[in-house]
């Protein structure tokens, strides 16, 4: 076990609380796989605490909310946790607070986790004005997981790449975005988000691309997604993102709500959002699904988007979806006030839908039905009106 404290000294041994290091730079030089780093209460600033490179999997433990790493005011501020390719050591961060940790610009990562075969977990961690990227590994044959539990993100973005399992539970994302991208083969990757609150998004460029993502939650290239007891509120896109975008083999969204999620007014050169609130897109496979949306409410969503609340797209193969016990109220858009179902038309995409107990109230569309529009789906042209 190693120790760091604002009152310490980098000339100390770091082996006890009385001999604590003063900086994370000094601690990073000695911490190895499986070690524990105890972080004392107080604020950690300056270059030795804003540019840090750990090269091991270990446990960083702080008293919840009391240790604060403040990267603000330092150029090229950057934290990295780099584990060797063959390391199975887990990386665990508990009780820490990070502020102002971003890269050279406001949308590039300032905290990066990559390498190794061990799991990564953040628990009771606070990120304020940070951009965080987590890639536990880049080998398709290695299994590892990422967990975000009881954490708070404020004005921050978190990207998770290549984890076989992602679990987000009891967390708060305020003016923040979460982007999850699975392995390219997407054989068994799964994502579970539960008891979590999203309020407003933060624009950034995931996966090192020039295409911004400003949605609240984006999930791509995974096998199975489940959202349970999740709240999405007060979102307005300026980059063409829906509040939630899911591209997966199957998905279940239940006991959740979308309130005031709009497509906004897209900037020049970026297409109009497909939907304001929830967009689910089936991958190019022979059979996909089921996609189950159950006990979900959509209120005051849509804006400049094609559909107000919910879009289901199946462009190739055959897809199966079920929408039941959902409420659509005061949503508005161009093509469909509430729901847009899109098939592949001549490309062969067939979307099979089962629906029950759908409640429509005061939805509006400028160029289509206020309720549900079926486009190239193979579904009989039934139009539901509010």
């Amino acid at each position: 076990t190693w120790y760091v404290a604002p009152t310490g000294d980098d000339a100390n041994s770091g082996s006890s609380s009385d001999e604590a290091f003063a900086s994370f730079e000094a601690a990073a030089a000695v911490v190895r796989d499986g070690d524990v780093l105890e972080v004392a209460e107080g604020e950690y600033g300056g270059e030795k605490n804003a540019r840090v490179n750990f090269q091991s999997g270990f446990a960083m433990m702080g008293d919840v909310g009391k240790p604060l790493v403040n990267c603000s005011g330092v150029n090229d501020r950057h934290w990295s946790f780099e584990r060797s390719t063959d390391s199975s050591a887990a990386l665990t961060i508990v009780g820490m607070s990070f502020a102002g940790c971003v890269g050279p610009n406001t949308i590039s990562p300032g905290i990066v986790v990559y390498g190794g075969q061990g799991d990564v977990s953040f628990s009771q961690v606070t990120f304020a004005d940070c951009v965080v990227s987590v890639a536990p590994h880049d080998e398709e044959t290695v299994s590892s997981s990422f967990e975000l539990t009881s954490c708070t993100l404020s004005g921050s973005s978190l990207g998770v790449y290549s984890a076989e399992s992602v679990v987000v539970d009891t967390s708060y994302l305020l003016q923040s975005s979460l982007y999850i991208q699975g392995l390219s083969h997407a054989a068994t990757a799964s994502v579970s988000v539960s008891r979590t609150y999203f309020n407003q998004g933060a624009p950034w460029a995931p996966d090192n691309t020039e295409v911004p993502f400003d949605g609240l939650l984006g999930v791509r290239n995974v096998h199975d997604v489940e959202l349970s007891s999740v709240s999405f509120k007060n979102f307005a896109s300026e980059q063409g993102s829906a509040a939630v975008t899911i591209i997966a083999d199957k998905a279940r969204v239940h006991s959740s709500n979308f309130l005031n999620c709009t497509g906004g007014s897209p900037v020049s050169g970026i297409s109009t959002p497909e939907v304001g609130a929830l967009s689910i897109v089936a991958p190019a496979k022979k059979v996909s699904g089921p996609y189950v949306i159950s006990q979900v409410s959509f209120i005051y969503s849509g804006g400049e988007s094609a559909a107000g609340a919910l879009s289901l797209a199946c462009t190739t193969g055959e897809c199966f979806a079920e929408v039941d016990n959902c409420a659509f109220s005061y949503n508005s858009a161009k093509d469909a006030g509430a729901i847009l179902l899109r098939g592949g038309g001549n490309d062969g995409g067939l979307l099979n839908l089962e629906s029950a107990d759908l409640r429509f109230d005061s939805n509006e569309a400028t160029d289509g039905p206020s309720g549900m529009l079926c486009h190239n789906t193979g579904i009989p042209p039934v139009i539901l009106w509010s």
Side-chain angles (χ1 to χ4, degrees), residues 122-309:
F122 298 161
S123 177
Q124 297 178 300
V125 177
T126 298
F127 297 99
D129 301 317
C130 296
V131 179
V132 185
S133 177
V134 178
H137 62 82
D138 56 5
E139 300 292 334
E140 294 188 359
T141 58
V142 180
S143 176
S144 62
S145 67
F146 172 75
E147 292 189 7
L148 185 80
T149 305
S150 301
C151 293
T152 299
L153 280 71
S154 176
S156 299
S157 299
L158 169 61
V160 183
Y161 308 93
S162 302
E164 283 289 291
S165 171
V166 177
V167 176
V168 178
D169 185 40
T170 323
S171 295
Y172 295 85
L173 287 87
L174 313 175
Q175 293 183 312
S176 299
S177 295
L178 173 60
Y179 181 85
I180 301 168
Q181 181 168 312
L183 295 167
S184 58
H185 68 308
T188 58
S190 64
V191 174
S192 172
V193 182
S194 60
R195 296 177 295 182
T196 294
Y197 177 85
F198 292 79
N199 192 337
Q200 301 182 338
W204 68 306
D207 200 24
N208 298 317
T209 70
E210 297 300 322
V211 179
F213 168 77
D214 70 340
L216 300 176
L217 172 64
V219 182
R220 179 182 180 188
N221 291 347
V222 302
H223 176 65
D224 188 7
V225 178
E226 180 166 4
L227 309 183
S228 174
S229 301
V230 185
S231 178
F232 302 95
K233 294 183 177 181
N234 303 323
F235 166 75
S237 172
E238 294 183 353
Q239 309 291 351
S241 303
V244 177
T245 300
I246 296 173
I247 304 175
D249 295 339
K250 61 181 180 178
R252 183 174 182 229
V253 183
H254 62 100
S255 302
S256 299
N257 66 83
F258 295 79
L259 174 63
N260 194 28
C261 295
T262 67
S265 300
V267 297
S268 175
I270 298 178
S271 61
T272 300
E274 180 79 1
V275 64
L278 173 60
S279 174
I280 297 178
V281 180
K285 291 192 173 183
K286 187 174 181 179
V287 179
S288 298
Y291 304 100
V292 180
I293 295 80
S294 176
Q295 299 181 355
V296 179
S297 63
F298 300 86
I299 304 173
Y300 289 112
S301 295
E304 296 294 321
S305 58

Side-chain angles (χ1 to χ4, degrees), residues 6-63:
T7 56
D9 191 319
D10 284 348
N12 288 340
S13 66
S15 58
S16 69
S17 57
D18 293 334
E19 282 284 313
F21 295 125
S23 72
F24 286 97
E25 181 183 75
V30 298
V31 169
R32 298 293 181 264
D33 281 355
D35 286 356
V36 176
L37 177 61
E38 294 282 354
V39 183
E41 176 182 351
E43 182 170 335
Y44 299 81
E47 293 188 4
K48 291 187 175 183
N49 291 307
R51 289 198 291 268
V52 182
N53 180 22
F54 286 96
Q55 296 185 329
S56 55
F58 65 102
M60 180 183 293
M61 311 296 291
D63 192 357

Side-chain angles (χ1 to χ4, degrees), residues 274 301-309 331-338 364-368:
E274 180 79 1
S301 295
E304 296 294 321
S305 58
N331 302 291
S332 62
K334 292 182 176 180
D335 297 333
E364 297 180 352
T366 56
D367 300 327

